[in-house]
């Protein structure tokens, strides 16, 4: 594959690489994405409410029980292990060539693979806090709560995941750090994302380096802006590209 050879060369010759990924980076770990044919959007049993409706701030506040019923069975995957993509990126960081992983994912798999410089645009299922007193809770408290809706042992308030819900703003500091690293990158690898969720998707326009790489199973509306497009599985592509 010509494009793969080209990617291999780009990775070998660059030291300012940034990765920008989405749910497709974790499908090879068994976590469904949203928009693939076998993603959460097409497999939803509740046709009246879309995952976007349920994972919204107003729904969380109005119907915490229904929110947590969906969230616990669809968004928490503690059994999932990092796949070839996460491992290849951790190795690229260890080699001093990958500067930052910017992810829209909330599953914590990049950190589990060993990546240290990870910016989580949409937060993490592993961090949770009481909406009233702000006390922090680990994911286990959410999974094993006595009632469907986990509540604070100190003040009785509802515990909310530190996940950016629809209708909520991204953390300003995380966003600024992401924009700063994208604008300093010489190579930006965008992978496993439909690039439809904003403002995250809009961040790639800050890239001013020499090679924009797009790795996605399906076409995206950004394919034409990329210098190198590979329509294959990201784990397979990155592990191949990292081979000596
Ligand atoms: P998306 O579902 O909209 O798009 C995923 C894209 O990845 C699709 O275009 C699909 O073709 C592609 N893809 C799937 N598997 C792939 C693979 N192995 N290799 C290459 N490409 C692959 O996901 P999105 O753009 O990240 O937006 C969805 C939102 O949902 C994000 O905000 C994300 O936080 C959230 N989400 C996160 C997780 C997670 O944390 N793992 C899972 C589902 C959704």
């Amino acid at each position: 594959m010509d494009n793969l050879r080209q990617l291999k060369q780009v990775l070998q010759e660059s030291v300012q690489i940034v990765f920008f990924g989405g749910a497709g980076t974790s499908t090879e770990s068994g976590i469904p994405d949203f928009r693939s044919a076998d993603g959460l959007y097409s497999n939803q049993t509740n046709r009246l409410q879309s995952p976007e409706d349920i994972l919204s701030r107003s729904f969380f506040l109005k119907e915490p029980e229904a929110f947590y019923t969906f969230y616990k069975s669809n968004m928490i995957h503690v059994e999932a292990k990092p796949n070839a993509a996460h491992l290849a990126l951790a190795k690229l960081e260890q080699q001093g060539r990958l500067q930052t992983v910017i992810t829209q994912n909330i599953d914590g798999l990049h950190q589990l693979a060993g990546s240290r410089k990870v910016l989580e645009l949409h937060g993490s299922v592993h961090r949770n806090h009481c909406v009233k007193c702000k006390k922090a809770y680990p994911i286990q408290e959410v999974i094993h709560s006595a009632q469907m809706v986990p509540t604070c042992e100190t003040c009785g308030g509802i515990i909310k995941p530190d996940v950016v819900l629809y209708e909520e703003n991204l953390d300003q500091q995380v966003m600024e750090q992401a924009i700063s690293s994208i604008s300093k990158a010489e190579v930006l690898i965008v992978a496993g994302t439909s690039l439809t969720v904003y403002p995250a998707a809009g961040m790639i326009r800050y890239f001013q380096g020499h090679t924009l790489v797009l790795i996605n199973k399906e076409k995206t509306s950004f394919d034409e802006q990329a210098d190198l497009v590979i329509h294959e599985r990201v784990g397979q592509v990155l592990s191949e590209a990292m081979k000596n």
Side-chain angles (χ1 to χ4, degrees):
M1 194 209 293
D2 236 16
N3 283 357
L4 187 57
R5 251 205 313 273
Q6 222 179 315
L7 175 61
K8 203 166 181 161
Q9 194 178 350
V10 167
L11 295 187
Q12 277 164 358
E13 290 172 356
S14 312
V15 288
Q16 282 290 341
I17 304 171
V18 169
F19 179 85
F20 180 97
T25 311
S26 291
T27 53
E28 289 162 75
S29 295
I31 303 181
D33 63 8
F34 275 178
R35 293 176 186 82
S36 282
D38 53 357
L40 268 183
Y41 278 22
S42 46
N43 286 339
Q44 55 177 307
T45 43
N46 183 350
R47 299 263 157 214
L48 296 176
Q49 275 151 338
S50 72
E52 270 176 34
D53 292 334
I54 298 171
L55 297 170
S56 68
R57 181 168 183 82
S58 50
F59 192 85
F60 171 79
L61 295 173
K62 211 167 51 195
E63 307 230 25
E65 181 115 7
F67 170 90
Y68 266 115
T69 304
F70 179 88
Y71 175 82
K72 287 187 189 183
S73 56
N74 293 291
M75 305 309 293
I76 295 184
H77 299 271
V78 276
E79 74 299 340
K81 301 268 183 300
N83 64 49
H86 301 106
L87 297 172
L89 292 165
K91 189 167 157 195
L92 205 57
E93 182 189 277
Q94 275 160 22
Q95 294 173 346
R97 290 186 280 161
L98 180 75
Q99 301 310 319
T100 322
V101 167
I102 302 168
T103 183
Q104 298 169 81
N105 293 349
I106 55 176
D107 54 35
L109 288 182
H110 286 292
Q111 292 91 330
L112 208 55
S115 286
R116 289 163 176 269
K117 289 179 262 169
V118 182
L119 295 174
E120 296 172 312
L121 293 175
H122 295 159
S124 171
V125 295
H126 294 282
R127 298 185 296 272
N128 304 273
H129 69 274
C130 168
V131 291
K132 261 197 196 159
C133 73
K134 308 293 175 214
K135 181 172 175 171
Y137 285 93
I139 192 169
Q140 296 306 331
E141 295 280 339
V142 172
I143 296 172
H144 301 299
S145 59
Q147 310 295 324
M148 177 53 79
V149 179
T151 49
C152 179
E153 61 188 8
T154 308
C155 75
I158 291 181
I159 296 172
K160 180 186 176 293
D162 287 355
V163 161
V164 180
L165 300 177
Y166 290 97
E167 302 163 359
E168 289 182 333
N169 293 326
L170 270 57
D171 182 287
Q172 188 67 25
Q173 211 183 340
V174 175
M175 213 157 77
E176 281 166 13
Q177 287 172 356
I179 290 171
S180 161
S181 55
I182 289 173
S183 54
K184 284 187 213 138
E186 34 167 350
V187 176
L188 179 64
I189 306 172
V190 177
T193 171
S194 61
L195 292 167
T196 51
V197 179
Y198 281 79
M203 284 182 185
I204 65 174
R205 72 171 189 271
Y206 290 97
F207 178 63
Q208 42 196 343
H210 56 73
T211 313
L212 175 60
V213 183
L214 218 149
I215 309 167
N216 209 66
K217 266 194 331 195
E218 300 156 9
K219 278 188 181 171
T220 75
S221 55
F222 283 76
D223 281 15
E224 266 143 46
Q225 294 176 38
D227 301 290
L228 196 52
V229 179
I230 304 181
H231 289 143
E232 305 276 350
R233 288 187 293 136
V234 57
Q236 187 190 338
V237 172
L238 289 181
S239 56
E240 279 294 318
M242 291 291 289
K243 279 187 188 153
N244 291 324

